[in-house]
Amino acid sequence: MRVNKKYSCLPAEEKGIHIINIRAIEDIGYDQHESTLLNSLSKNPDADCKYGLYFRDGKRKVDYILVYHYKKSSAGKTLARRAQQNDSSVRGTKQDQPLPGKGVQLEMGEGEPHMDYHEDDKRFRREEYEGNLVEAGLELERDEDTKIHGIGFVKIHAPWNVLCREAEFLKLKMPTKKMYQINQTHGLLKKINSVIQKITEPIQPRVAEHKPQTMKRLSYPFSREKQHLFDLSDKDSFFDSKTRSTIVYEILKRTTCTKAKYSMGITSLLANGVYSAAYPLHDGDYEGENVEPNDRKLLCEEWASYGVFYKYQPIDLVRKYFGEKIGLYFAWLGVYTQMLIPASIVGIIVFLYGCATVDENIPSMEMCDQRNNITMCPLCDRTCSYWKMSSACATARASHLFDNPATVFFSVFMALWAATFMEHWKRKQMRLNYRWDLTGFEEEEDHPRAEYEAKVLEKSLRKEHKHKETDKEKLTWKDRFPAYLTNFVGIIFMVGLTFAIVFGVIIYRISTAAALAISSTPSGRSSVRVTVTATAVIINLVVIIILDEVYGCIARWLTQIEVPKTDKNFEERLIFKAFLLKFVNAYTPIFYVAFFKGRFVGRPGDYVYIFHSFRMEECAPGGCLMELCIQLSIIMLGKQLIQNNLFEIGIPKMKKFIRYLKLKRRRSLDHEEHMKKKQRYEVDYNLEPFAGLTPEYMEMIIQFGFVTLFVASFPLAPLFALLNNIIEIRLDAKKFVTELRRPVAVRAKDIGIWYNILRGIGKLAVIINAFVISFTSDFIPRLVYLYMYSENGTMHGFVNHTLSSFNVSDFQAGTAPNDPLDLGYEVQICRYKDYREPPWSENKYDISKDFWAVLAARLAFVIVFQNLVMFMSDFVDWIIPDIPKDISQQIHKEKVLMVEVFMREEQGKLHMLETWKDKDKRKGENCNNHSPRLSRSHSGSLSSCHSYPLDV
């Protein structure tokens, strides 16, 4: 068999040891040009193979790389040197390298230790697996003479026939010879589009793929029987590097290693350490002098550079290089960032409106007016004294910047914005599906994961041990029940931990406020709230960042013990758990300030206590909205600055520096190795492995929550998100192009489960903003006062209306201020924010009718706001079609053209058959005319007469 001949070597007489040298290769007639797994003996191999992008022959392109660790003994090196000296007729840089897996373990002396069992087992598995790859049609070449000691590389090349076979299996849509014109706009729309193109020309990337196209090739799933339909003028570029690596990866996943009852694909081999890495190569270098033009260099210049932050992304080139899944992520991020521009503008206008009207706001003017002489009740027991409401003037004025009628409009606007964004993305997604030939693409069931196969194998072995009949096993819910129980308990524990930490921060706020209130300086007492809020938020931020990393690891572990069957199932379950934990972690402190702070305080003389000593926190006289704004802004900006940017820049740089130090130490040991230029696969091996898109999506989804969920309290959130995303796009692009190994291209027609999460956040945002406006801000109490209680139809007297009175003689024993004369006069009545009966009433300190009127108005507003905005969002969803009209027309046109192509082909076949029949008939007539001469062998002659058209 041809494969076995090329994959074999001469066995030595010694037991289990194979000796290989250059003379042995010559003896067995090893052909260098035809070999599938050989280290070539080229005089200048690095130049011939373009430094690792091609095989040693300089013709076959490297489509994929497998990396493994091996151990080289000193005896092996000595033996190799002897072989080189004995064979002086052959000279080459790679002549000491063995054939695959056979020469790793060379002849050893009696005193030399034998390799351990695990290394032998890994080597045997590699031998079988690589042999199976060769049988599958792939061509392999090994390289162990690298600058990285103890690391071997297997280069994989897929020949043309394998590419065609797998493209047909995968139903890859490839361009045919048929071209058609894309429908163009006419009239006024055409003029508008031309004007827009001229205006936006400076911000378009300078890449060929981004230019508007008027012609498009008709695409069709590749078929070997219909190769004549496809444009095969240049076979080398028909399958691009992304497609070639995808095809090879599919073969790697499908090919198994079955030794010792194992059925293992590449994922299992990687998990068990048989191979240490597997990745496709980058196209080449992206910087330096005399670098050949390539897609990676172009992406680095036109996409992964902060200098082009103002330009559109070359999405088509990103898809061409990284595949559809990564292309869709960056397309989604670009659409999201563009949609933040109008939201940011409206948010700035709302904020400026608050700044412009702050001096006209009557409630804040009344709070700042010292002539009102409103004395407030103490903020804590004993150590805190009475205080003037005018001391909270700055907080009241700042609250108006975010708590004004315009914020209600902005909340409605952002709800509609979220619905419009989702519809706009669906339409953009359909355009990309059409451009990328993904229409009609359906994801097929993926190969089982390595862990799943191992678990099934373990289950079948247990049954086999019990002498039971074993059909094809699979994991049932009973097998996974312990994992499900662990998941449930683990998630409940993590959520409880988050609540406990928030509760601890609440205790810190209460105790710190009491401690700062003892300060003798008036300025210290006036800044207690701001100081406590700011420090508590910083503590929350640090805890959130730490727990985010912890929860990410825990979510991955919880998903692993479930043993999902496919990678898609694994990813979806991981996303759900990670999002749930990170959502609770990020938003719990904000939910507390928005909906719980100041709700369960009690009243003077009957406060609610924690641990019988700490009073629950109260909101400021201007409401809790200002504190909510501070909390939201610091957490959002802190997460974006520290977690999303510094971590993404700093951690890869630090890892790169550590790898550089290790390599520098190795190079110092061997100066000769240091002088050699690295191969492409060696350079890529030192890059970070691609860890998936989940972290990238996750940070953007959490940010989307900050932008939409509590936008009523922080109108500038879209602006800060926009500024962050402008940097984030280029930061992610630089990471993908320069710091990560090239990912395997994955076909996808949408962003998957993330779209459903976005829709859920958009719906939740409507409800939360309704409650923020209704219960956290003073918008509803102001409306109730204006239309029910105001004597002159203005807001004069609103502050006094929201304050209740308390007789200081009703304090509980031991809770009255230690210094009642701190304000310089004796206080008999103090005020506190609540709707309660006065002390001179029959039902003193009971909840008043005003409270129930305001509560009814708040609940009514929530119901009306929620239903109105939901209806408007659904209306936007209904009125905007998911598929643009021009795209649906183009898809229909493609189907019609494809039918025409096949009809013409069918007519051509029928015409050819008719021609053959006519020729056959004429030939038969000629045979009949010469029948006397053919009487002896009539049947044989007839068959010879009819053989011509059949041969044709």
Side-chain angles (χ1 to χ4, degrees), residues 908-921:
K909 287 181 179 179
L910 290 173
H911 179 69
M912 188 178 294
L913 286 172
E914 288 174 359
T915 306
W916 286 353
K917 285 180 180 178
D918 291 341
K919 287 183 179 180
D920 187 32
K921 189 175 181 182

Side-chain angles (χ1 to χ4, degrees), residues 563-578:
V563 197
K565 184 176 181 180
T566 63
D567 287 330
K568 184 179 179 182
N569 291 342
F570 181 88
E571 186 181 23
E572 288 181 351
R573 295 186 186 195
L574 173 62
I575 288 169
F576 174 75
K577 293 181 185 66

Side-chain angles (χ1 to χ4, degrees), residues 613-895:
S613 56
F614 295 109
R615 261 172 53 183
M616 288 294 290
E617 286 185 288
E618 297 181 49
C619 287
C624 277
L625 199 70
M626 188 61 202
E627 288 188 48
L628 178 61
C629 174
I630 295 171
Q631 184 103 3
L632 184 66
S633 59
I634 292 179
I635 290 177
M636 178 183 176
L637 297 178
K639 271 181 66 67
Q640 290 185 167
L641 181 64
I642 298 172
Q643 197 171 20
N644 298 359
N645 292 333
L646 290 183
F647 279 14
E648 286 194 20
I649 296 172
I651 291 177
K653 294 286 184 189
M654 187 170 64
K655 288 182 178 178
K656 197 174 182 181
F657 181 69
I658 292 171
R659 285 197 301 270
Y660 170 76
L661 291 178
K662 288 182 180 177
L663 289 173
K664 192 176 180 182
R665 194 179 305 151
R666 288 174 178 172
R667 288 172 184 172
S668 62
L669 299 175
D670 195 340
H671 179 70
E672 206 173 294
E673 295 282 342
H674 174 62
M675 297 305 293
K676 289 194 299 184
K677 183 177 178 180
K678 276 189 174 183
Q679 303 290 334
R680 176 81 264 149
Y681 44 85
E682 295 178 78
V683 176
D684 287 3
Y685 178 71
N686 290 323
L687 298 176
E688 280 291 304
F690 175 63
L693 289 171
T694 301
E696 315 299 335
Y697 273 114
M698 188 67 70
E699 64 185 66
M700 288 296 107
I701 296 296
I702 295 295
Q703 185 204 80
F704 182 78
F706 282 123
V707 169
T708 54
L709 291 179
F710 296 94
V711 74
S713 63
F714 190 41
L716 295 179
L719 174 64
F720 289 114
L722 173 64
L723 297 176
N724 173 79
N725 288 5
I726 291 172
I727 301 171
E728 181 74 20
I729 289 175
R730 307 303 163 180
L731 184 65
D732 283 348
K734 198 171 187 66
K735 182 172 68 175
F736 273 82
V737 173
T738 65
E739 294 174 2
L740 295 179
R741 293 176 193 160
R742 188 174 183 177
V744 179
V746 178
R747 287 189 298 168
K749 63 178 182 179
D750 52 39
I751 59 175
I753 193 174
W754 297 109
Y755 182 81
N756 298 328
I757 292 175
L758 285 169
R759 283 190 68 87
I761 291 177
K763 300 293 184 184
L764 184 62
V766 176
I767 301 170
I768 289 179
N769 280 306
F771 277 96
V772 167
I773 295 170
S774 180
F775 286 89
T776 309
S777 74
D778 282 339
F779 177 73
I780 299 301
R782 286 172 189 164
L783 286 181
V784 171
Y785 176 79
L786 186 64
Y787 294 106
M788 291 182 63
Y789 300 104
S790 177
E791 297 177 355
N792 51 8
T794 64
M795 293 301 295
H796 287 288
F798 170 73
V799 173
N800 187 60
H801 177 74
T802 59
L803 298 176
S804 298
S805 300
F806 178 75
N807 192 332
V808 298
S809 61
D810 293 331
F811 272 122
Q812 290 181 349
T815 60
N818 296 332
D819 187 10
L821 299 176
D822 185 57
L823 295 177
Y825 55 88
E826 184 180 358
V827 177
Q828 294 181 347
I829 299 292
C830 67
R831 310 294 297 276
Y832 61 98
K833 188 170 183 179
D834 205 348
Y835 291 100
R836 290 184 179 270
E837 297 290 345
W840 51 83
S841 173
E842 293 181 3
N843 303 314
K844 65 178 183 178
Y845 307 133
D846 285 349
I847 293 174
S848 64
K849 294 179 181 179
D850 299 342
F851 171 84
W852 299 112
V854 171
L855 180 62
R858 282 174 164 164
L859 294 174
F861 176 83
V862 168
I863 295 170
V864 172
F865 181 90
Q866 175 185 336
N867 286 282
L868 177 63
V869 175
M870 287 283 192
F871 170 76
M872 294 170 70
S873 300
D874 290 341
F875 180 74
V876 169
D877 191 356
W878 173 75
I879 202 172
I880 301 176
D882 293 346
I883 305 176
K885 187 177 180 181
D886 59 326
I887 296 299
S888 61
Q889 290 175 349
Q890 297 292 353
I891 293 172
H892 178 70
K893 185 177 181 179
E894 276 196 352
K895 290 179 180 178

Side-chain angles (χ1 to χ4, degrees), residues 23-51:
R23 180 67 64 189
I25 294 176
E26 292 178 350
D27 290 343
I28 63 174
Y30 206 103
D31 187 4
Q32 180 182 351
H33 177 71
E34 294 182 357
S35 65
T36 58
L37 193 56
L38 175 67
N39 295 302
S40 304
L41 306 176
S42 173
K43 292 182 179 178
N44 189 9
D46 290 346
D48 291 343
C49 68
K50 295 187 179 179
Y51 295 98

Side-chain angles (χ1 to χ4, degrees), residues 907-949:
Q907 289 172 0
K909 287 181 179 179
L910 290 173
H911 179 69
M912 188 178 294
L913 286 172
E914 288 174 359
T915 306
W916 286 353
K917 285 180 180 178
D918 291 341
K919 287 183 179 180
D920 187 32
K921 189 175 181 182
R922 287 196 297 269
K923 192 72 176 176
E925 290 174 356
N926 293 335
C927 290
N928 290 332
N929 291 336
H930 296 83
S931 59
R933 296 174 59 186
L934 301 172
S935 58
R936 286 183 303 169
S937 56
H938 186 263
S939 60
S941 299
L942 282 177
S943 64
S944 64
C945 289
H946 288 274
S947 65
Y948 175 73

Side-chain angles (χ1 to χ4, degrees), residues 312-465:
Y312 286 102
Q313 298 182 85
I315 291 298
D316 291 323
L317 185 59
V318 174
R319 172 253 178 180
K320 178 186 173 186
Y321 193 78
F322 291 111
E324 286 79 8
K325 192 170 185 178
I326 293 175
L328 281 172
Y329 163 70
F330 282 103
W332 173 84
L333 185 56
V335 170
Y336 172 46
T337 304
Q338 287 175 12
M339 289 293 292
L340 283 172
I341 295 174
S344 302
I345 293 172
V346 176
I348 292 171
I349 293 172
V350 169
F351 178 73
L352 292 177
Y353 170 82
C355 295
T357 58
V358 68
D359 292 329
E360 302 171 5
N361 183 38
I362 295 174
S364 61
M365 290 170 62
E366 287 184 348
M367 289 180 65
C368 294
D369 191 356
Q370 297 185 359
R371 294 174 296 180
N372 288 336
N373 196 28
I374 299 177
T375 304
M376 303 296 293
C377 295
L379 295 174
C380 61
D381 295 342
R382 295 187 300 277
T383 55
C384 299
S385 185
Y386 305 105
W387 55 286
K388 290 286 189 70
M389 175 171 272
S390 57
S391 63
C393 175
T395 307
R397 289 173 64 85
S399 296
H400 179 71
L401 301 178
F402 306 101
D403 187 5
N404 56 69
T407 56
V408 180
F409 158 76
F410 190 56
S411 298
V412 177
F413 170 81
M414 287 304 294
L416 298 179
W417 172 87
T420 308
F421 162 60
M422 300 304 294
E423 291 304 309
H424 179 46
W425 166 244
K426 279 197 287 189
R427 291 168 64 84
K428 176 72 173 178
Q429 193 170 254
M430 281 305 303
R431 288 188 182 279
L432 293 176
N433 284 345
Y434 166 71
R435 273 198 345 234
W436 296 349
D437 298 321
L438 291 172
T439 51
F441 167 70
E442 294 294 335
E443 292 185 15
E444 297 180 358
E445 187 175 355
D446 202 357
H447 298 279
R449 295 173 61 249
E451 293 81 357
Y452 181 84
E453 287 184 336
K455 204 78 174 175
V456 170
L457 177 65
E458 183 184 336
K459 182 179 178 181
S460 61
L461 288 175
R462 281 202 308 268
K463 284 197 172 184
E464 194 176 308
H465 181 67

